[in-house]
Amino acid sequence: MAQLINGKEISSQIKEEVKAQVTELAGQGISVCLAVIQVGDDPASSVYVRNKKKACEYVGIKSISYELPESTSEEDLIVLVRQLNERQDVNGILVQLPLPKHMDEDHVLLSIDPKKDVDGFHPQSVGALSIGLPGFVSCTPAGIIQLLKRSGIAIEGKHCVIVGRSNIVGKPMALLMLRENATVTVTHSKTKDLAAYTRQADILIVAMGKRQFITSEYVKEGAVVIDVGMHRDENNKLCGDVDFVDVSPKCSAITPVPGGVGPMTIAMLMYNCVASVSLQSRK
Ligand code: NAP
């Protein structure tokens, strides 16, 4: 029987730790504040933004939100980001993605002060991660490292195979696993014979955005499987990139969907907001 990696429980632990740190900072007269900007009214984005604000409230982080109309120009959005960069009372800035099509996401992300880049998407944050300097780490991959460590799963010396090379999951995940001394293989849509690679994984991390694609033929007996995917099945129930029912009997540990990677992302955002305070105190 595979160990179920409990993201709900681990994310709650992290939120409690962040809450205690926020209380301690408040005792020193330091408050933590996150600015959240949403452009347009995409329903999925509205749910994410609402959940982020709720988490802030729970841990005691102040949140200021900006709900801008879809027609906002990229220039006006960047002006707002720059104003927030200058505000001493704002520690973190989060621009909810995706942005409307008339905007260049890269331009907007570049305008965020790297010291306030709590999503970890700024090129400077990514560069810092790749050479081991302090900086923000993208929340989902950072959450996966916590899931593994807090579930007692050793990473060092293991062969980690990652399916997907996106800037927000696959690539930072590879850098983090390397930092943890895993041997890392990154696969993508042009990889030939994907199963030949995934079957070599001690730790298989799947972030491909393909509903229940990974079946037991892709998995080595006893592997640890982390499912980042988030989809609805034909009965409108949440499911992942991994066929959980088929794969779980074969592995030693697995994340469920829901209740695996999903809850970790917001918990790590809260963690990054608190980390921003000490990052900003560096010269
Ligand atoms: P993405 O930007 O669409 O990237 C998908 C990656 O998978 C790409 O690198 C793509 O390769 C690769 N891929 C697609 N088909 C493949 C195939 N048949 N074989 C091998 N590789 C394949 O997606 P993402 O943003 O990383 O997200 C991945 C999934 O995680 C989505 O379901 C998303 O909803 C979910 N997600 C969940 C959370 C969370 O908090 N739980 C956070 C972020 C994302 P190419 O580069 O060659 O195109």
Side-chain angles (χ1 to χ4, degrees):
M1 185 69 185
Q3 171 192 353
L4 213 55
I5 299 175
N6 193 335
K8 235 176 130 181
E9 200 176 291
I10 295 172
S11 65
S12 297
Q13 280 169 15
I14 291 172
K15 280 192 271 183
E16 290 309 320
E17 289 164 16
V18 170
K19 195 175 180 178
Q21 284 173 306
V22 172
T23 308
E24 203 183 313
L25 285 167
Q28 299 164 27
I30 302 167
S31 63
V32 187
C33 171
L34 172 69
V36 182
I37 306 172
Q38 183 183 356
V39 187
D41 51 8
D42 171 60
S45 292
S46 301
V47 172
Y48 292 137
V49 166
R50 205 165 45 242
N51 289 341
K52 287 168 189 175
K53 289 196 285 196
K54 254 169 60 185
C56 280
E57 201 177 323
Y58 180 75
V59 300
I61 292 174
K62 184 180 166 197
S63 67
I64 327 174
S65 60
Y66 296 86
E67 279 136 37
L68 308 180
E70 178 93 16
S71 58
T72 304
S73 70
E74 183 183 306
E75 212 178 2
D76 285 349
L77 174 58
I78 290 177
V79 167
L80 171 62
V81 170
R82 294 212 169 111
Q83 284 166 356
L84 294 168
N85 285 342
E86 295 306 317
R87 276 179 59 171
Q88 297 291 318
D89 62 326
V90 171
N91 305 94
I93 303 170
L94 185 151
V95 178
Q96 183 64 42
L97 302 179
L99 287 170
K101 291 206 175 4
H102 64 276
M103 291 191 188
D104 182 333
E105 284 183 359
D106 291 338
H107 280 170
V108 175
L109 294 179
L110 259 173
S111 70
I112 298 174
D113 179 346
K115 287 191 171 171
K116 298 190 177 186
D117 174 39
V118 285
D119 253 341
F121 295 161
H122 192 286
Q124 191 169 314
S125 306
V126 180
L129 171 63
S130 71
I131 59 171
L133 289 176
F136 294 106
V137 179
S138 173
C139 300
T140 303
I144 291 171
I145 297 289
Q146 290 301 315
L147 280 180
L148 292 167
K149 288 189 170 174
R150 292 177 188 238
S151 303
I153 295 164
I155 303 175
E156 185 165 311
K158 300 283 176 64
H159 183 194
C160 173
V161 178
I162 300 166
V163 186
R165 57 173 166 181
S166 70
N167 290 342
I168 62 165
V169 188
K171 282 184 196 141
M173 193 72 246
L175 292 168
L176 280 174
M177 291 306 269
L178 208 53
R179 191 163 89 179
E180 296 295 331
N181 295 320
T183 301
V184 180
T185 301
V186 181
T187 63
H188 46 79
S189 70
K190 307 290 185 291
T191 299
K192 294 200 171 74
D193 194 3
L194 180 65
Y197 294 94
T198 57
R199 275 200 298 262
Q200 292 176 37
D202 301 314
I203 301 174
L204 177 62
I205 301 178
V206 188
M208 63 195 302
K210 295 267 183 299
R211 193 176 87 178
Q212 295 175 325
F213 185 99
I214 298 294
T215 51
S216 55
E217 306 92 85
Y218 285 84
V219 180
K220 179 171 84 172
E221 193 76 46
V224 173
V225 177
I226 306 291
D227 187 357
V228 186
M230 190 71 84
H231 311 273
R232 295 264 168 198
D233 70 9
E234 53 284 349
N235 303 315
N236 206 32
K237 277 176 65 184
L238 282 172
C239 66
D241 287 349
V242 174
D243 182 339
F244 182 88
V245 173
D246 188 41
V247 167
S248 57
K250 206 170 177 184
C251 39
S252 59
I254 186 166
T255 55
V257 178
V261 174
M264 296 301 293
T265 303
I266 289 186
M268 295 316 289
L269 174 68
M270 300 299 105
Y271 174 92
N272 278 353
C273 289
V274 169
S276 70
V277 174
S278 65
L279 210 65
Q280 282 151 26
S281 66
R282 284 169 186 261
K283 287 283 159 242

